[in-house]
């Protein structure tokens, strides 16, 4: 009890003295029983929608609806705050603990692009020394071709556990179409100030799970769970954030990232995604999700590919993958397309072995 009173007195003393320091203030208070934090400054909380898989899915996939308008209004709201600050200007600082503090700063920009290039960096400081940084907000308009514009955006959300969700998107302004470049989860470590990467997140997979939960008959509960909760958003199968290769010695190998089912080959610009569905402890199913990369997209009838019929399967054990490729199923022609294995470029009638390379 005596220690608690001493702590509160110290906290009040520091808080009062901090009011004389302009924009520095104690906005996070440790809970002595649960050791959790409560971030109350909306500027540092960021945008909660950046942690909501259903909102992201609806914004990307449902055209001509209120979700895009809400997405635009979110950007406009943040622009209204950040556009007033000059290049390299500190926007605000807060103390998280006696040792850890956050600072927002606007990245340097050209004067004529004040409203077209708004990039905000979050710095973490430990014992007043900068320990890490991350892009916290971005609104950048680029000219693409002669007739269209593309906008690149970043939205961030910091939850009560100091997890940071970073959503990176791009928008074709001529058609009001939003796409996701990446959605990542980080953890800000209050013991060091470092920003640790946790995992890539798949908004389609997570939104689908949330929507299924919402469709289930609800049982009475005194503490209902919010449908926008960020808990259990990781695809933690024991090998997330891992890249598997077919040939470790090739200079231009195809890579396969398990958290997204993300295939990419730099020389051919082939890139597509498949949802990774766990069937049992070691076996997984791949279902078509999205094709990326201009060269491959123009040669395939991707709009008619089934998202329900498997494109392949894999078995994971001993840090290796037994991979079987079937190809995309075209619901219009009722046939498989792109049956060449993306790793070998050949039609494989049996599985191949993928491995992690040093």
């Amino acid at each position: 009890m005596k220690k608690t009173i001493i702590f509160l007195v110290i906290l009040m003393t520091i808080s009062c003295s901090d009011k004389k320091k302009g924009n520095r203030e104690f906005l996070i208070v440790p809970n002595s029983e649960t050791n959790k934090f409560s971030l109350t400054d909306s500027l540092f909380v960021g945008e909660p929608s950046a942690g909501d898989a259903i909102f992201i899915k609806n914004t990307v996939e449902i055209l001509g609806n209120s979700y895009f308008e809400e997405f635009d209004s979110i950007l406009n709201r943040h622009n209204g705050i950040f556009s007033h600050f000059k290049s390299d200007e500190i926007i605000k600082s807060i103390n998280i603990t006696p040792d850890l503090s956050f600072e927002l700063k606007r990245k340097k920009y050209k004067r004529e692009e004040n409203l077209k290039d708004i990039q905000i960096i979050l710095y973490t400081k430990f014992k007043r020394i900068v320990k890490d940084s991350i892009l916290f907000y971005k609104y950048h308009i680029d000219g693409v071709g002669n007739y269209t514009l593309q906008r690149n955006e970043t939205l961030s959300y910091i939850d009560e556990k100091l997890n940071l969700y970073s959503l990176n998107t791009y928008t074709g302004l001529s058609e009001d179409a939003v796409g996701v470049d990446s959605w990542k989860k980080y953890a800000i470590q209050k013991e060091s100030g470092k920003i640790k990467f946790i995992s890539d997140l798949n908004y389609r997979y997570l939104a689908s799970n949330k929507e299924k939960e919402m469709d289930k008959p609800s049982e009475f509960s005194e503490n209902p769970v919010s449908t926008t909760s960020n808990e259990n958003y990781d695809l933690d199968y024991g090998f997330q954030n891992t890249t598997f290769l077919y040939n470790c010695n090739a200079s231009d190998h195809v890579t396969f990232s398990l958290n997204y089912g993300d295939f990419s080959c730099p020389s051919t610009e082939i890139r597509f995604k498949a949802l990774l569905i766990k069937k049992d402890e070691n076996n997984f199913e791949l279902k078509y999700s999205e094709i990326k990369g201009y060269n491959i997209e123009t040669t395939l009838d991707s709009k008619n590919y089934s998202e329900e019929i498997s494109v392949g399967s894999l078995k994971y054990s001993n840090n290796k993958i037994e991979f079987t490729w079937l190809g995309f199923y075209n619901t219009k022609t009722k046939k498989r397309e792109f049956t060449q294995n993306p790793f070998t470029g050949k039609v494989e009638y049996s599985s191949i072995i993928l491995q992690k390379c040093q």
Side-chain angles (χ1 to χ4, degrees), residues 37-236:
F37 292 80
S38 178
L39 184 58
T40 59
D41 188 304
S42 60
L43 198 63
F44 286 90
V45 168
E47 179 51 52
S49 297
D52 184 352
I54 293 178
F55 175 80
I56 297 170
K57 178 177 178 290
N58 290 338
T59 301
V60 171
E61 297 184 355
I62 304 178
L63 300 178
N65 72 96
S66 59
Y67 286 99
F68 181 83
E69 294 177 3
E70 184 176 349
F71 180 70
D72 245 19
S73 68
I74 288 170
L75 296 172
N76 290 333
R77 185 169 67 250
H78 288 287
N79 287 348
I81 297 171
F82 295 130
S83 62
H84 298 295
F85 293 90
K86 300 177 182 178
S87 289
D88 291 330
E89 182 177 357
I90 295 175
I91 297 169
K92 194 172 187 180
S93 301
I94 64 170
N95 294 310
I96 307 303
T97 70
D99 290 327
L100 177 65
S101 63
F102 291 168
E103 180 178 277
L104 291 177
K105 187 176 183 180
R106 183 167 182 181
K107 191 176 180 180
K108 188 175 182 179
Y109 61 89
K110 296 179 181 179
R111 182 176 298 180
E112 63 272 18
E113 295 185 351
N114 178 42
L115 299 178
K116 292 184 179 180
D117 184 15
I118 303 174
Q119 299 187 54
I120 309 301
I121 309 298
L122 172 69
Y123 292 91
T124 59
K125 293 183 177 181
F126 194 76
K127 295 184 178 180
R128 300 184 180 181
I129 298 174
V130 174
K131 289 296 181 180
D132 222 331
S133 64
I134 191 171
L135 181 62
F136 191 74
Y137 177 77
K138 179 178 181 178
Y139 181 96
H140 182 76
I141 297 178
D142 271 331
V144 179
N146 297 320
Y147 306 102
T148 186
L149 292 172
Q150 179 166 297
R151 187 179 66 197
N152 296 284
E153 311 95 1
T154 295
L155 292 171
S156 300
Y157 168 59
I158 301 178
D159 69 13
E160 68 280 359
K161 296 180 180 179
L162 297 187
N163 293 314
L164 187 151
Y165 297 84
S166 177
L167 174 65
N168 296 279
T169 56
Y170 55 92
T171 299
L173 297 178
S174 61
E175 52 188 6
D176 293 344
V178 180
V180 174
D181 266 332
S182 66
W183 188 30
K184 301 177 182 292
K185 179 180 178 181
Y186 299 84
I188 303 175
Q189 300 177 320
K190 53 182 178 292
E191 299 83 5
S192 65
K194 298 294 291 182
I195 301 174
K196 180 184 177 183
F197 175 74
I198 302 299
S199 66
D200 285 301
L201 302 176
N202 188 325
Y203 68 88
R204 285 191 176 92
Y205 176 85
L206 299 170
S208 176
N209 282 354
K210 285 291 178 181
E211 288 167 343
K212 288 177 182 177
E213 291 177 10
M214 293 167 62
D215 289 338
K216 290 180 181 179
S218 59
E219 298 181 2
F220 176 77
S221 173
E222 294 182 357
N223 298 301
V225 178
S226 169
T227 59
T228 59
S229 168
N230 297 299
E231 297 300 319
N232 301 319
Y233 265 25
D234 300 322
L235 302 182
D236 186 358

Side-chain angles (χ1 to χ4, degrees), residues 9 20 49 70 130 245 268:
V9 171
K20 299 177 183 180
S49 297
E70 184 176 349
V130 174
L245 309 177
T268 59

Side-chain angles (χ1 to χ4, degrees), residues 249-342:
N249 298 318
S251 60
D252 186 30
H253 39 241
V254 177
T255 64
F256 175 43
S257 176
L258 276 174
N259 16 29
Y260 271 102
D262 190 354
F263 295 82
S264 65
C265 183
S267 66
T268 59
E269 297 184 25
I270 290 176
R271 184 181 178 190
F272 59 89
K273 292 184 177 181
L275 292 181
L276 186 65
I277 310 297
K278 187 171 185 177
K279 300 184 72 175
D280 56 42
E281 188 63 29
N282 298 104
N283 292 284
F284 299 81
E285 182 180 11
L286 290 171
K287 291 189 176 182
Y288 167 73
S289 174
E290 178 183 8
I291 286 182
K292 291 190 173 184
Y294 178 78
N295 286 355
I296 186 174
E297 189 175 8
T298 55
T299 61
L300 298 177
D301 186 21
S302 58
K303 65 180 181 297
N304 288 314
Y305 288 164
S306 172
E307 297 183 10
E308 300 300 324
I309 299 177
S310 298
V311 298
S313 62
L314 59 92
K315 181 177 181 180
Y316 174 76
S317 63
N318 299 321
N319 288 325
K320 292 184 178 180
I321 289 177
E322 187 177 332
F323 178 83
T324 303
W325 177 252
L326 303 173
F328 303 117
Y329 184 81
N330 191 315
T331 57
K332 187 177 180 179
T333 63
K334 309 298 182 185
K335 294 181 179 179
R336 294 275 184 181
E337 295 181 5
F338 197 75
T339 53
Q340 306 97 316
N341 191 303

